[in-house]
Amino acid sequence: MGFLSGKRVLIVGLATERSIAHGIASAMHREGAQLAFSYQDRFKDRVESMAGDFDSRLTFEMDVASDASIEAGFGHLKQQWDGLDAVVHAVAFAPQEALRGSLIDSTTRENFRIAHDISSYSLIAIAKQAVPLMKDRAGALLTMSYLGAVRSLPSYNVMGLAKASLEAGVRFLAADLGERGIRVNGISAGPIKTLAAAGIGGFRKMLSHVAATAPIRRNVSLEDVGNTAAFLCSDLSAGITGEIVYVDGGYSTVGMKLPETPET
Ligand code: 0WE
């Protein structure tokens, strides 16, 4: 029996087989969870097919930028499920032009608004709909963050500010929802080559720098993140809430590393 058997989990943010949401779905399916998936309109066919691989036929369109669409999505979910145990929020977006050059040059009032709306507010908007369905069910909310929330990094720019806001949201939601038995956590993953990362200049160099520097001397995999996500949505983590768990091979814990030089 898997450690998520009998749990009903909604996954928001599946787009391709390289999505972090796909790694999370695989681990949760392996541990016996029943899965539902929301998708962005353009990924409908792909998500329906991937859902099938996880024995799920519960898929629906949901645009996290629209309250009406989130309401409609949960309306659809409620027709099939009378309750919900966990939601995985694996969605982020900033306009492409915000993710290059310097913060001051690339950030506008509008791309700041969009980044914070899609990447941070959407967790709260989803929580509003999910919480009533978690009544009497030891619920869990999980989101995805990145080191740029707490450190400056090249090009991540306004997404760093949005992730800082998202991480604060995890703590405030955890405080709000704890008395209802709902836990709220985030995973701060090391860089992974997803569709969202594909268009980013210098991404390959970032991956090789992290692999060379991190204590585990490799990049993290979708499986690494998926296993931690499954744990954080399960009763195995009943004592953990308001937390950001780093799944980065220890990269963020290193203060300095010298290049490998042969000993003489
Ligand atoms: O959070 C992310 C990616 C988020 C993301 C990616 C895109 C690319 C396409 C948000 N919005 C967009 N908008 C687009 O138009 N990561 C942690 C991956 C990532 O993104 C970076 C990184 C890393 C790592 C952007 C710049 C520098 C490093």
Side-chain angles (χ1 to χ4, degrees):
M1 275 251 288
F3 62 73
L4 286 171
S5 67
K7 296 273 194 189
R8 289 176 161 173
V9 184
L10 170 63
I11 298 187
V12 181
L14 182 61
T16 75
E17 297 197 343
R18 296 211 157 270
S19 293
I20 289 177
H22 192 275
I24 294 174
S26 296
M28 290 187 165
H29 178 252
R30 183 194 72 215
E31 295 302 331
Q34 286 175 260
L35 303 177
F37 298 89
S38 73
Y39 54 80
Q40 207 184 0
D41 192 37
R42 62 187 170 127
F43 296 118
K44 180 180 205 288
D45 293 351
R46 283 207 251 187
V47 170
E48 283 174 357
S49 140
M50 290 184 279
D53 302 338
F54 300 123
D55 306 314
S56 168
R57 288 189 59 250
L58 221 181
T59 64
F60 54 90
E61 198 263 333
M62 186 167 84
D63 173 6
V64 302
S66 155
D67 291 332
S69 179
I70 294 171
E71 261 182 62
F74 274 84
H76 190 99
L77 187 72
K78 278 185 261 188
Q79 289 177 3
Q80 313 285 318
W81 284 359
D82 56 2
L84 184 62
D85 298 294
V87 180
V88 175
H89 171 271
V91 188
F93 181 77
Q96 183 108 53
E97 73 270 13
L99 298 175
R100 59 176 114 89
S102 67
L103 181 76
I104 199 169
D105 290 339
S106 71
T107 309
T108 63
R109 196 177 293 278
E110 184 62 2
N111 65 35
F112 178 102
R113 184 193 67 71
I114 293 167
H116 285 72
D117 184 21
I118 308 293
S119 313
S120 178
Y121 177 70
S122 64
L123 177 66
I124 297 168
I126 286 167
K128 285 178 195 258
Q129 293 292 321
V131 164
L133 288 170
M134 292 178 169
K135 196 168 162 26
D136 308 319
R137 298 182 75 118
L141 300 176
L142 178 69
T143 189
M144 297 304 307
S145 194
Y146 184 54
L147 188 60
V150 296
R151 308 273 182 77
S152 67
L153 296 172
S155 310
Y156 200 63
N157 298 346
V158 77
M159 270 308 304
L161 283 69
K163 290 299 195 187
S165 163
L166 177 70
E167 292 188 1
V170 166
R171 293 183 286 271
F172 277 82
L173 287 170
D176 283 352
L177 302 176
E179 65 192 10
R180 283 182 252 194
I182 300 170
R183 297 178 301 105
V184 187
N185 292 293
I187 289 175
S188 184
I192 296 176
K193 201 170 169 212
T194 62
L195 180 64
I200 288 145
F203 194 78
R204 291 220 325 258
K205 280 195 173 144
M206 293 181 210
L207 282 176
S208 51
H209 164 74
V210 169
T213 308
I216 65 172
R217 296 293 191 271
R218 63 170 177 83
N219 291 115
V220 295
S221 63
L222 292 178
E223 195 183 347
D224 294 326
V225 173
N227 285 335
T228 301
F231 164 72
L232 288 172
C233 290
S234 79
D235 300 336
L236 292 174
S237 61
I240 303 177
T241 193
E243 206 68 67
I244 306 298
V245 176
Y246 281 71
V247 181
D248 70 344
Y251 177 81
S252 67
T253 70
V254 173
M256 185 187 298
K257 176 182 171 286
L258 294 173
E260 217 51 70
T261 48
E263 299 294 327
T264 49

